[in-house]
Amino acid sequence: MAKDKSPRRPRAETPKGFRDYFGADVTERKAMLDSIAEVYHRYGFDPLETSAVETVEALGKFLPDVDRPNEGVFGWQDEDGDWLALRYDLTAPLARVAAQFRNDLPSPYRRYAMGPVWRNEKPGPGRFRQFYQCDADTVGAASVAADAEICAMLSDALEVVGIPRGDYLVRVNNRKVLNGVMEVAGVLDPSDPSKFEAERGIVLRAIDKLDRLGEAGVRALLGAGRRDESGDVTKGAGLSDEQAEVVMGFMAAKRGTGAETVARLRDLVGGSVLGGEGVQELETIAELLDRQGYGPDRIEIDPSVVRGLGYYTGPVFEAELTFEILDEKGRKRQFGSVAGGGRYDDLVKRFTGQAVPATGVSIGVDRLLAALRAKGRAGQKSVGPVVVTVMDRDRMGDYMAMVGELRSAGIRAELYLGNPKNFGNQLKYADNRHSPVAVIQGTDEAGRGVVVLKDLVLGAKVAEEASLEEWKSRPAQVEVARADLVAAVKRMLDQ
Amino acid sequence: MAKDKSPRRPRAETPKGFRDYFGADVTERKAMLDSIAEVYHRYGFDPLETSAVETVEALGKFLPDVDRPNEGVFGWQDEDGDWLALRYDLTAPLARVAAQFRNDLPSPYRRYAMGPVWRNEKPGPGRFRQFYQCDADTVGAASVAADAEICAMLSDALEVVGIPRGDYLVRVNNRKVLNGVMEVAGVLDPSDPSKFEAERGIVLRAIDKLDRLGEAGVRALLGAGRRDESGDVTKGAGLSDEQAEVVMGFMAAKRGTGAETVARLRDLVGGSVLGGEGVQELETIAELLDRQGYGPDRIEIDPSVVRGLGYYTGPVFEAELTFEILDEKGRKRQFGSVAGGGRYDDLVKRFTGQAVPATGVSIGVDRLLAALRAKGRAGQKSVGPVVVTVMDRDRMGDYMAMVGELRSAGIRAELYLGNPKNFGNQLKYADNRHSPVAVIQGTDEAGRGVVVLKDLVLGAKVAEEASLEEWKSRPAQVEVARADLVAAVKRMLDQ
């Protein structure tokens, strides 16, 4: 026979690194975001939804001499030759909005934003090119009261989605303190801040890896460098042992109480003006939080938090879940960070030339949802709709009337809309839908003015475990008058 | 003076055709979509959120020999040379999902989807390149009971968001009936459906313009063609007067009752098998809806509905708002269409080679929201947060404790976080935020253990209209004990 000459069919696939979300994946994330939005709203934050597309110029990730900007973002050229791209976070668009609407927005401007962002990065297991972020920021507030507020709000948000007190900790640090320590260690010269910048970058990244590399690994990175298991060498910051000791002392500065930690940090930053300012800010934040009742059981000062991003200029914070889960290899480990943020005072300046103080937090939506599932607080199998089956194809009107009555009573219900010939397929469908009840009415039942209700939840249980007595005492199938359909289904659902 | 040599600052602008949504724009749309989702859920539809990015191949808009696919979509080439693009609607991704997950999804598969879509089209007033769609579709159901269900659900959705019965009408037609009429008119030959295809396309588009061009305009397009006011000529379908009469008769086939309309249509399609099938389907849909209590006050058969899209193969429907609004020139006009859809049986086939019957509806989110605002059911100025002002910069802890207490009591509240030096600016800020109450505590009040509450709603009213008596009987400013702060604010908000 001749081969089919029709053109090749398109592949039914998402692009690499992208995925679809079905049913409960969508509703559980939505419920979580709704709860968080309620907290943000109570704190006076207003929603903002920027467009997914920005000019590459506004995103500010690229050098003007790069021909095609594809480093990290999905970009394309529009009809006028301008480069456009999908936003890679929610902070860059906020900076653009704060500049564009600076005469119309209240100042300070508190806003929250929730939505997908896109990254043109190598996808991997659990790493997708489109994912949700959930941010809250205050633009135009220089006071660290704004940072304290963000920390309190983050704590409230975690509790409202179902992370109980004791299962999380918001940890606060300050980049100025770290800079003060760098001054003491001799890797920051206040009269020429650009000197030793590369070294400080290595120190920052080394500290950020304390969890993963341990003390010895960080020490190696602060000094000559580090060779990992595969033999790869990471260049170190070239600090002397004495200098490294100062930095390590900073990370270990945490004491039993906030006041003790602050005192220890004050010692460490010595005569550094910037460092002293940072310590003072931490002290103020702790005081302000204490006055609102947020003690160290919820928010604590922890000098080991640095956050990777280069643009932070003052307080930085991180929310960590403190309970243990089993990782993919069955080993116990702490769940870790689910949110982070800090103060960034230079992002709006790119557009306007004027410094605008800003601070904010970003919650890792997918990680937080995974945490809730790990704790059994999400991911339950949801109950499906009542399914009205079709016994007689020419009585569709009768069945549709039944499903209409159920829906009008607020009961989630469906009419079976596939080919009704094979009744077994209809029950398989109901099973696939996690339906609690199937409604059945053949010609005989219709003649007698009754319907049969099949309790599928009980049916499944009986099939698995019930004794004959139980089976008899509560049959999984009952016949009720047609007029009692809604009431009888309600009773069955409430059981 | 030397010119500033710093590099040019980026422009703080959204790309052309894109926009941002602030505050109530976000929450009102969200509230509307939440209500619609509740209806869809009750009907047994499951949420689906596909990725914003699809392969151009899966979207299927482009010919393989076009070098750069930029017709209507935003597309770019990935690192492997594949073309990717932002989705332009929610139906094409559904077809891809239905094919990709055909072994896992229930069949029939009822799903709803809500989210932005992107179109690379010339932007204009009110026409944006990113906008929301809100769709519900049933894939795998050949029965017109699926179409009837979609119409009933659309009716429920409109009512639940605040369009009362009588202010809307869901109108239903069937492409098969139109094709039957074309057979009778001699522009469709069942033995060679490809013949006269161009002519039928012109007829379809002409009918779709009845509202705008009137009967004479449509007649011209069915015949030789039409010259518009600017002198431009649109090519006609070239039908004879007799043929045009048949088509015009179809559009005017609507009668006082559904049964009469069906009878008239049966006359019109004459011996056409396809036409007869279409009439039968319309009759069945009307019957099924009637059995659920959806009469012609909500859903009616109207042969003038054709829907522009080429891919519809059977029933088509449209929801129209029947009340009048004033257009931008102050003229009364009907609000018009806010949703539409129909049966499309060939979209999944592109991927799998097997025909999969499907039907669905798309609600125009922005138009529906505009309608609610036109009716005064959305767009109200929302009440802002209570603003705690800052009189003494060194008592931030006291103020933060106040705002914390208010928030803990569920009251939306803010601490003023700008520079507190100028108190007038703080009240201006509260005004800008539509704040109902300002909380004030200077050193004197603090010493006496009291706070002052300023009723800003009443204050604005008094400034505008109140008599001296009113002013005295309910002062816009009261002093209360610090311990009574929350209770007193609550009383003021409830007034």
Side-chain angles (χ1 to χ4, degrees), chain A residues 16 20 41 44 80 412 433, chain B residues 16 41 44 80 412 433:
Chain A
K16 246 184 311 176
D20 304 308
H41 174 81
D80 301 331
R412 188 176 196 212
R433 300 285 291 133
Chain B
K16 248 184 313 175
H41 174 81
D80 300 331
R412 189 176 194 211
R433 300 286 290 134

Side-chain angles (χ1 to χ4, degrees), chain A residues 25-79:
Chain A
D25 286 344
V26 178
T27 47
E28 284 180 353
R29 181 177 57 206
K30 186 180 175 306
M32 195 182 84
L33 292 177
D34 283 357
S35 302
I36 295 174
E38 221 175 284
V39 173
Y40 288 175
H41 174 81
R42 197 165 70 236
Y43 272 76
F45 285 66
D46 276 346
L48 167 67
E49 191 174 316
T50 60
S51 64
V53 179
E54 296 277 348
T55 65
V56 164
E57 181 185 2
L59 287 180
K61 283 276 273 193
F62 309 101
L63 299 168
D65 55 355
V66 172
D67 179 42
R68 183 181 160 75
N70 57 5
E71 195 94 60
V73 304
F74 292 105
W76 64 90
Q77 221 165 356
D78 77 0
E79 66 281 9

Side-chain angles (χ1 to χ4, degrees), chain B residues 82-95:
Chain B
D82 293 334
W83 281 96
L84 306 181
L86 292 174
R87 65 182 179 210
Y88 59 86
D89 73 2
L90 300 172
T91 311
L94 171 62

